[in-house]
Amino acid sequence: MDDRSFNNQRIHGMSDVVFECVLAYIHDSRDRQSISLVCRRLCELEAQTRKHVTIALCYTTTPKQLLRRFPFIESLKLKGKPRAAMYNLIPEDWGGFATPWVEELSKSFSCLKALHFRRMIVKDEDLELLARDRGHVLQVLKLDKCSGFSTDGLLHICSSCRNLKVLFLEESQVIEKDGGWIHELAMNNTQLEALNFYMTDLSQVSFNDLELIAKRCKSLVSVKIGDCEILDLVGFFRAAVSLEEFSGGCFNKQSEEYASLAYPPRLCRLGLNYMSTNEMPIVYPFASRLKKLDLLYALLDTEDHCVLLQRCPNLEVLEARNVIGDRGLEVLARSCKKMKRLRIERGADEQELEDEEGVVSQRGLTAIAQGCLDLEYIAVYVSDITNAALESMGMNLKNLCDFRMVLLDKEEVITDLPLDNGIRSLLSGCNKLRRFALYLRPGGLTDVGLTYIGQHSQNIRWMLLGYLGESDSGLLGFSRGCPSLQKLEVRGCCFSEKALAMAVLQLRSLRYLWVQGYRGSKTGFDLLTMARPFWNIEIIPPRKVNCGDGREMEHPAHILAYYSLAGPRTDFPPSVIPLASITQ
Amino acid sequence: MSESSTIEIDFFSKKASDRRDIQGMISKINPELLKTAIASASANSFVANTSFSSSLQLQTPCNQNCGVVNMPVTVAPMTIFYNGTVSVFDVTSNQAESILKLAESVNSVSKNVVESTRVISNDLPMSRKRSLRMFLEKRKERHEAMSPYACSQGSTS
């Protein structure tokens, strides 16, 4: 009925043309989703004008379904393995293969310019196909925490994609054969704006090629590399006049030459790896310009952090290990009033390798809560915590959208557990929260506290619950709330299969569940309480994993369940078992 | 496939690789019968006494009408979970007993069946993000490599 001959149709009295013009201004995918539900014609129009699609799990749909629904997309983001893969908890061969997607994308998606694979398995053949069929139009390629490919695949990309503006490989596991790919990039490309192979093990990259890229690519704004001696980058820094962001490199020498290094004039986002106390002063000349600082891989102690942060009044983003300490956070709270994102990661466990003062507790958190009022994101590993600190955050941090807290297990006694009241205050005070992660220990949060989370998380879409609650009734109380919860991750909790399945049925927005560590039955039958159409349930059974130095660790079972329009997977590895869903 | 509930399908004679055949057969069984049979399994005390003890409870409207399936008196539904597939078929008590004897004669439950750990609380060590773990390992190596040399500045290097 609604075919192309009805070109000048009217919808609600207005011509198609009007809607087409208006739709071009609507970008939020949720708004577009609402529009597409109004009537068939608007659904078609919306589909034709949709520019970007994110598929949160690649097994929820198929390339053909994507083609039917959104044939003209210019940008696609696909995610594969569960988030837990970043912590080495998921078998490497779990899945998330890019091949079927690359095949269809290369063949049928004529407008595609930007592609982002996250936690997927990408093969050299995929990259070769992409380079051959889309090389001339591809502008953005992000292989984000991917694996399965080598520098040969990158060579194809760099030889054929001459219009590439963004090449992003951060944290991917790339098999390195040589440095030819970056040489090709240097020779063929003048459009590059962002190059990132940070936290890959690519070491055969020649600094001469980096310098050539900086010379030829006038718009080069962001470069994040692996371990390359900083002194070798003098030429690179001199040539990269537009550079705003740099991370990587390393300081291998004990040299005064580091001090005389000139950095690009617009550099304001910085991460210098293996930078120690001696080299820190090189940052001072432009520290006041810094908006983003990555100290995760630096070799600084608590005092160093205090000294440095005091000089960074314009800092908006900071990443550091917990060696920053409470004292460092107090300095941050006093000096850096524009802070938006703060991430404090867990440092080494061995005492000799980290500063004694390198612990973060309620003292540092309270300082941050009172000093950095614009904070939008906080992720922190704490060694101690109180309800009062959480209350303070709830009272002060009104712009907080993302809260993640892990209580380390080193200290046996924690000042103030359970955290029921503090968490309730935090959640009711920070009503813009969209993402929430809380990882405690038995006794950290009671069933009442877990129910509070359910009651006070109106807008939260993603949650990670670690060692929370005391029994199934806590989970059931939780699942009566959380109206917006789409993705739930649960680890180390005491809930039974039955309770997990019932919770899934109660969480009305839930479309994805991951669990590791639960009270399982011998057979897994109870999980089938949540069996329903379009709901895939998969199990990764317990397995022994080699964790290096000859030791073996037992990994408990995982449950992964998600809505899918594609039916059960057809590419299960031996390590993953499907529970076939009962379909109508 | 006929709707008679006395047709017998011998799943055990099929190899594991014929999973698709098995699923194909299940999909041809009247879905209403399948749902009811599964739901009524919980009411069947015979099944409850066997090693396949956990009852399967689906949230289906049939739950209320457990007993309303027209089957010959001596035949009862048996639900089998095998290699990740669910099969339901009606067997006489003799047939059921033979199937169970056969299953019990195989030693222990194979490791491929979901056998989750019972105790969880301290079995899950906190794992570190891969990038950080690599950095800390490298730093340790650097630290060890530099220790033969006297280092007069700072406590960390």
Side-chain angles (χ1 to χ4, degrees):
Chain A
M1 182 182 110
D2 293 333
D3 64 14
R4 295 295 168 139
S5 64
F6 279 61
N7 252 337
N8 207 19
Q9 262 200 140
R10 300 187 94 73
I11 308 169
H12 307 292
M14 280 187 281
S15 123
D16 265 11
V17 177
V18 171
F19 278 99
E20 278 176 35
C21 293
V22 170
L23 280 174
Y25 290 97
I26 300 178
H27 305 293
D28 184 81
S29 62
R30 266 170 279 269
D31 290 339
R32 283 185 156 264
Q33 187 187 325
S34 305
I35 290 168
S36 69
L37 293 172
V38 171
C39 64
R40 192 166 295 174
R41 188 67 189 129
L42 273 180
C43 183
E44 279 171 15
L45 279 177
E46 193 282 305
Q48 287 160 20
T49 55
R50 176 82 68 117
K51 295 273 188 278
H52 171 82
V53 168
T54 296
I55 297 177
L57 172 60
C58 58
Y59 291 115
T60 57
T61 183
T62 66
K64 281 268 184 287
Q65 283 175 341
L66 178 67
L67 179 63
R68 258 199 308 274
R69 183 80 176 82
F70 298 115
F72 305 117
I73 46 168
E74 296 180 5
S75 160
L76 175 66
K77 178 174 177 181
L78 265 171
K79 290 152 79 170
K81 294 178 183 168
R83 242 179 34 96
M86 300 193 297
Y87 299 86
N88 289 336
L89 298 176
I90 303 289
E92 171 55 35
D93 63 352
W94 177 88
F97 300 98
T99 306
W101 294 94
V102 170
E103 282 170 355
E104 193 68 51
L105 292 168
S106 304
K107 198 167 62 176
S108 320
F109 285 80
S110 48
C111 302
L112 194 75
K113 292 194 284 211
L115 191 51
H116 183 168
F117 289 128
R118 186 167 161 97
R119 292 193 296 268
M120 292 186 68
I121 297 177
V122 181
K123 307 210 166 84
D124 284 343
E125 294 75 36
D126 301 328
L127 296 175
E128 190 180 349
L129 181 61
L130 207 56
R132 199 175 60 224
D133 291 358
R134 286 267 153 262
H136 51 295
V137 291
L138 203 61
Q139 291 182 5
V140 175
L141 180 63
K142 295 187 184 177
L143 302 175
D144 177 2
K145 301 181 175 58
C146 293
S147 60
F149 62 102
S150 76
T151 45
D152 288 348
L154 292 178
L155 187 63
H156 287 295
I157 294 289
C158 296
S159 310
S160 306
C161 304
R162 294 172 180 237
N163 292 319
L164 209 58
K165 290 191 183 160
V166 175
L167 180 61
F168 179 108
L169 306 171
E170 188 164 327
E171 287 197 65
S172 287
Q173 291 166 259
V174 190
I175 301 163
E176 182 167 44
K177 299 195 178 164
D178 55 47
W181 63 280
I182 197 147
H183 186 70
E184 278 300 305
L185 191 61
M187 301 304 291
N188 296 329
N189 192 309
T190 55
Q191 309 296 313
L192 206 63
E193 293 171 11
L195 173 64
N196 182 330
F197 54 97
Y198 198 43
M199 295 296 123
T200 62
D201 287 324
L202 295 170
S203 55
Q204 293 177 40
V205 166
S206 154
F207 56 84
N208 288 319
D209 288 326
L210 284 174
E211 196 174 324
L212 194 55
I213 290 173
K215 282 195 182 117
R216 300 188 75 219
C217 301
K218 302 296 178 206
S219 313
L220 196 63
V221 157
S222 166
V223 171
K224 295 170 88 167
I225 61 174
D227 294 347
C228 174
E229 170 53 53
I230 287 282
L231 288 176
D232 292 338
L233 295 174
V234 173
F236 164 79
F237 283 129
R238 212 184 354 230
V241 290
S242 306
L243 204 67
E244 293 173 17
E245 174 168 42
F246 178 79
S247 287
C250 55
F251 298 86
N252 291 322
K253 316 199 170 136
Q254 315 259 38
S255 170
E256 291 81 37
E257 286 177 55
Y258 288 128
S260 54
L261 211 57
Y263 289 94
R266 292 203 222 142
L267 195 61
C268 60
R269 301 195 293 278
L270 187 65
L272 294 174
N273 294 359
Y274 302 103
M275 178 177 71
S276 70
T277 319
N278 295 336
E279 292 95 32
M280 211 172 61
I282 55 178
V283 181
Y284 293 173
F286 56 95
S288 58
R289 212 168 55 220
L290 287 178
K291 288 199 193 157
K292 176 174 172 181
L293 195 52
D294 174 359
L295 300 175
L296 284 175
Y297 314 105
L299 302 175
L300 306 177
D301 59 21
T302 306
E303 176 63 22
D304 293 332
H305 281 80
C306 295
V307 166
L308 180 55
L309 292 171
Q310 214 164 21
R311 292 169 173 261
C312 304
N314 288 309
L315 203 62
E316 294 177 17
V317 179
L318 175 67
E319 295 178 300
R321 299 191 309 282
N322 54 5
V323 65
I324 189 177
D326 282 331
R327 198 155 63 90
L329 289 181
E330 284 167 342
V331 169
L332 188 70
R334 266 199 309 273
S335 314
C336 309
K337 295 298 185 188
K338 299 185 186 176
M339 280 296 292
K340 291 218 168 62
R341 296 175 66 91
L342 175 62
R343 184 170 145 218
I344 308 289
E345 279 280 1
R346 172 185 166 207
D349 295 328
E350 301 95 332
Q351 197 48 53
E352 331 70 78
L353 287 172
E354 295 281 27
D355 196 317
E356 260 180 22
E357 274 190 276
V359 289
V360 171
S361 73
Q362 59 272 16
R363 188 180 126 202
L365 285 190
T366 307
I368 292 293
Q370 292 167 351
C372 302
L373 302 175
D374 288 342
L375 209 61
E376 293 169 8
Y377 169 107
I378 181 165
V380 60
Y381 282 79
V382 296
S383 306
D384 194 7
I385 188 67
T386 58
N387 282 283
L390 297 172
E391 276 157 26
S392 181
M393 294 177 82
M395 258 193 329
N396 293 300
L397 301 177
K398 293 303 178 189
N399 286 329
L400 205 62
C401 300
D402 195 330
F403 172 88
R404 308 180 195 207
M405 187 177 83
V406 177
L407 179 61
L408 290 171
D409 50 13
K410 241 178 21 168
E411 296 299 322
E412 279 209 28
V413 179
I414 301 297
T415 300
D416 186 17
L417 291 182
L419 295 175
D420 295 9
N421 293 330
I423 288 296
R424 183 180 48 180
S425 304
L426 174 78
L427 290 172
S428 31
C430 303
N431 48 26
K432 287 189 194 168
L433 272 178
R434 295 281 201 96
R435 301 163 109 96
F436 178 79
L438 188 62
Y439 200 107
L440 300 178
R441 56 173 69 175
L445 197 78
T446 68
D447 282 344
V448 171
L450 194 47
T451 307
Y452 287 160
I453 297 182
Q455 289 166 344
H456 297 281
S457 53
Q458 293 307 107
N459 299 316
I460 299 183
R461 285 181 217 233
W462 167 80
M463 275 203 208
L464 164 63
L465 308 179
Y467 290 100
L468 301 186
E470 305 161 289
S471 73
D472 285 350
S473 61
L475 181 64
L476 294 173
F478 164 86
S479 62
R480 279 193 286 272
C482 300
S484 307
L485 191 65
Q486 293 178 329
K487 182 170 173 181
L488 177 62
E489 298 176 18
V490 177
R491 193 165 193 250
C493 298
C494 54
F495 314 128
S496 64
E497 277 174 22
K498 191 81 179 276
L500 286 165
M502 283 168 61
V504 163
L505 296 175
Q506 286 190 138
L507 289 162
R508 64 180 122 117
S509 300
L510 195 73
R511 60 188 195 188
Y512 179 110
L513 171 74
W514 174 82
V515 181
Q516 189 192 29
Y518 57 97
R519 253 186 313 121
S521 61
K522 274 218 184 92
T523 46
F525 291 177
D526 285 350
L527 277 184
L528 286 164
T529 305
M530 63 171 168
R532 54 205 172 156
F534 303 108
W535 185 250
N536 288 359
I537 308 173
E538 300 171 11
I539 306 277
I540 302 174
R543 59 202 177 103
K544 289 204 163 31
V545 174
N546 219 324
C547 45
D549 49 271
R551 280 182 308 132
E552 251 194 2
M553 218 164 58
E554 169 93 15
H555 275 220
H558 307 231
I559 303 167
L560 179 66
Y562 53 93
Y563 274 126
S564 174
L565 298 172
R569 283 172 63 174
T570 51
D571 60 357
F572 283 106
S575 50
V576 185
I577 295 180
L579 286 190
S581 55
I582 315 284
T583 57
Q584 278 164 349
Chain B
M1 170 103 18
S2 109
E3 273 145 31
S4 158
S5 48
T6 54
I7 292 211
E8 189 176 287
I9 306 163
D10 185 0
F11 285 87
F12 278 109
S13 69
K14 297 238 166 226
K15 299 198 299 286
S17 58
D18 289 345
R19 192 200 290 184
R20 241 177 243 175
D21 288 359
I22 296 174
Q23 286 191 331
M25 285 190 188
I26 295 173
S27 67
K28 288 183 191 135
I29 299 173
N30 181 348
E32 284 309 310
L33 184 66
L34 191 60
K35 270 195 218 165
T36 317
I38 292 168
S40 72
S42 59
N44 190 323
S45 60
F46 174 75
V47 177
N49 287 338
T50 68
S51 52
F52 301 97
S53 57
S54 260
S55 62
L56 175 61
Q57 282 171 30
L58 291 183
Q59 305 274 347
T60 70
C62 297
N63 263 337
Q64 258 75 61
N65 305 325
C66 271
V68 186
V69 178
N70 287 330
M71 288 191 243
V73 161
T74 51
V75 178
M78 175 179 259
T79 308
I80 294 197
F81 295 83
Y82 177 68
N83 207 23
T85 60
V86 181
S87 331
V88 180
F89 40 96
D90 302 313
V91 296
T92 64
S93 56
N94 284 337
Q95 287 164 338
E97 218 171 306
S98 334
I99 292 170
L100 290 170
K101 279 217 175 78
L102 179 68
E104 277 162 358
S105 70
V106 176
N107 204 0
S108 56
V109 174
S110 134
K111 289 273 185 263
N112 279 335
V113 171
V114 173
E115 207 182 298
S116 321
T117 51
R118 287 174 303 284
V119 180
I120 7 77
S121 41
N122 293 317
D123 287 345
L124 283 177
M126 211 176 281
S127 48
R128 204 181 247 112
K129 221 169 185 180
R130 190 181 167 268
S131 49
L132 261 172
R133 195 168 42 95
M134 307 292 297
F135 164 74
L136 291 172
E137 275 168 22
K138 272 191 211 165
R139 185 179 70 162
K140 207 169 175 180
E141 283 166 23
R142 272 169 76 107
H143 189 77
E144 282 158 9
M146 286 169 78
S147 58
Y149 304 100
C151 187
S152 50
Q153 300 111 336
S155 53
T156 57
S157 51

